[in-house]
Amino acid sequence: MENICKACLASTKVTDGDIQLAIDKLSRLKGMKFVEDSLYLSRLEKCDVCAYLEYGTTCLQCGCIVQIRAKLPDSTCPYPKDRKW
Ligand code: SF4
């Protein structure tokens, strides 16, 4: 798929370390809960084969980092009409 992101360039890629840092910060928020690892991995498997995933991290539908979005219990996939998870 052509890069349709209007705001982010390849140079704005986030690293695994950036993502882990964000997850660590979220985990310290009061009341924050994450989904079980099995559900997390299942969600990421669907993102990995999705045409809207850019740079291996960014969902072009919502602009989120999928490795973070998939951790959140109330989060859903924004795929148009037929969400993937
Ligand atoms: S549309 Fe859904 S499956 Fe595709 S990258 Fe975004 S969150 Fe993942």
Side-chain angles (χ1 to χ4, degrees):
M1 169 180 272
E2 178 186 347
N3 180 354
I4 59 172
C5 184
K6 295 177 176 59
C8 301
L9 304 173
S11 60
T12 60
K13 265 188 193 175
V14 294
T15 66
D16 289 347
D18 295 331
I19 293 168
Q20 191 56 54
L21 190 61
I23 290 171
D24 289 347
K25 283 184 179 176
L26 281 173
S27 72
R28 290 194 292 273
L29 294 177
K30 188 175 179 186
M32 175 58 70
K33 291 191 181 349
F34 293 138
V35 298
E36 294 291 323
D37 286 349
S38 58
L39 178 57
Y40 179 62
L41 294 174
S42 158
R43 288 175 169 183
L44 289 184
E45 282 175 8
K46 290 171 181 135
C47 292
D48 280 345
V49 294
C50 178
Y52 289 110
L53 185 67
E54 187 68 280
Y55 311 136
T57 56
T58 307
C59 174
L60 294 179
Q61 281 298 309
C62 63
C64 71
I65 302 301
V66 297
Q67 289 83 357
I68 296 172
R69 186 182 183 98
K71 283 251 178 211
L72 307 176
D74 295 332
S75 186
T76 59
C77 163
Y79 196 96
K81 296 180 185 166
D82 181 25
R83 67 183 192 196
K84 305 303 178 189
W85 51 264

